[in-house]
Amino acid sequence: MNYTFTIFIPTYNRAHLLPRALASIEAQTFRDFETVIVDDGSTDNTEALIRDWQARADFELVYFKQPNQGKYAAQNAGVAAARGWFFLLLDSDDRLLPDTLERILRHWESIPESKRPRYAGVEGLVESMDGRRVLTTPYPSNPCDISYLDLYYRLGIGGDKKHAIRTEILRRFPYPLFPGELNSRDSITWNRIAHEYIFRCVNESVQQVEYQPDGLTSNRFRIRMTSPRGFQLFFQEEITLHRAWLARKQLRRSTIEFIRFSLHIGLGPWAQGKQVDYDPLWLLLLPMGYIRWWVDLYRLRFKGGNIRNRAVIHN
């Protein structure tokens, strides 16, 4: 690794927002980093903008352009190209605080060296662009050393968090990709990582965010209907690999979602049963899963139009 950090930006038609993200990188007090941008098939002037920044930036700026494949394919490509020991995701509509990298490194170095192999990285909170509001639930202690599974499923602390994670770990846990699907769930990777690693979580804002009306957060139904295989795999793993962390209510809900998305990808009861070892709860909830599927079909036919053929815009 040539750098301490790789700051990664996946982007799609966000030329009007990228200067804000890049300016926040330029302002970092800690300078041992590179920036990798993967352009996921933009049709605006993103490439010209980045070429201009490459010519004048005082930091390493690497740019790749790929056909539109979605944010998670872009991240896999960014991880493969990264030369930083830590990998930090910065969505194109967000920005770093000036001392973000400096503080993340300081929190990492506060972990005893002998214990660091157990840690995936450092995670913090996000705040509004004006810095007046923290937008996510804080951790129960500061610092809090915990896995994603324990944090989310056992403590019930969710919401948007931002982290720097060891690049070598992300290379072991790439996002699963499916032909024709552009999206998945971030937590499919964090759940897998949590079986082996924990994070040092701190109650400090490390990024400022501005959620866009055309972003992932604002288009949940459309995203799920255009990426059913990714969501089916997520819920399958949730009720099998991560079952021990789920409360009964969550287990019921996730089982229904597994049935719902299995039907969307053409898996009937026999194929579903094989994937969950014919779990009695799955059998009991089959009717509820079918109802969820029928509701989706109604929405797609009478309210969604040609939703399956629409491009999914991502941050």
Side-chain angles (χ1 to χ4, degrees), residues 130-145:
D130 59 11
R132 295 179 180 177
R133 293 178 297 126
V134 174
L135 301 179
T136 50
T137 306
Y139 304 102
S141 61
N142 188 33
C144 179
D145 295 341

Side-chain angles (χ1 to χ4, degrees), residues 79-275:
V79 170
R83 294 174 294 166
W85 204 79
F86 288 109
F87 188 90
L88 188 151
L89 168 66
L90 177 65
D91 286 326
S92 52
D93 51 356
D94 298 342
R95 67 184 175 194
L96 301 174
L97 297 170
D99 60 347
T100 289
L101 299 185
E102 180 181 338
R103 286 187 289 118
I104 286 174
L105 184 60
R106 183 170 69 247
H107 287 302
W108 175 259
E109 291 178 341
S110 71
I111 302 168
E113 190 170 357
S114 62
K115 296 182 178 180
R116 290 178 195 168
R118 178 80 172 92
Y119 288 76
V122 175
E123 183 174 90
L125 309 177
V126 300
E127 66 183 26
S128 58
M129 280 292 170
D130 59 11
R132 295 179 180 177
R133 293 178 297 126
V134 174
L135 301 179
T136 50
T137 306
Y139 304 102
S141 61
N142 188 33
C144 179
D145 295 341
I146 194 168
S147 75
Y148 179 85
L149 287 167
D150 287 327
L151 183 72
Y152 181 76
Y153 293 100
R154 291 186 173 161
L155 298 184
I157 297 177
D160 197 8
K161 306 289 195 300
K162 301 297 182 180
H163 52 252
I165 186 169
R166 289 159 52 195
T167 303
E168 62 178 330
I169 293 176
L170 286 177
R171 287 179 177 159
R172 289 182 52 213
F173 295 93
Y175 280 104
L177 304 176
F178 299 92
E181 295 194 3
L182 300 183
N183 288 285
S184 181
R185 287 186 65 157
D186 289 337
S187 47
I188 195 168
T189 292
W190 312 136
N191 284 345
R192 293 172 175 181
I193 289 172
H195 285 270
E196 298 183 36
Y197 300 98
I198 61 176
F199 278 89
R200 168 142 293 186
C201 303
V202 295
N203 283 326
E204 299 176 14
S205 295
V206 296
Q207 289 191 29
Q208 294 181 329
V209 302
E210 181 179 60
Y211 300 115
Q212 303 298 314
D214 64 349
L216 292 176
T217 308
S218 305
N219 294 276
R220 291 180 181 175
F221 180 71
R222 178 153 58 98
I223 287 168
R224 292 186 175 205
M225 292 300 99
T226 54
S227 303
R229 290 178 178 83
F231 283 92
Q232 193 269 352
L233 177 62
F234 170 80
F235 288 111
Q236 177 203 339
E237 292 189 356
E238 205 173 38
I239 64 177
T240 55
L241 299 181
H242 320 309
R243 189 185 187 99
W245 280 268
L246 272 63
R248 183 166 181 80
K249 183 178 180 181
Q250 178 67 56
L251 181 59
R252 286 172 56 87
R253 183 164 57 246
S254 296
T255 301
I256 292 170
E257 294 296 282
F258 164 74
I259 298 165
R260 170 195 182 190
F261 286 102
S262 293
L263 293 170
H264 275 298
I265 65 173
L267 292 184
W270 179 255
Q272 293 177 38
K274 291 175 67 176
Q275 290 191 359

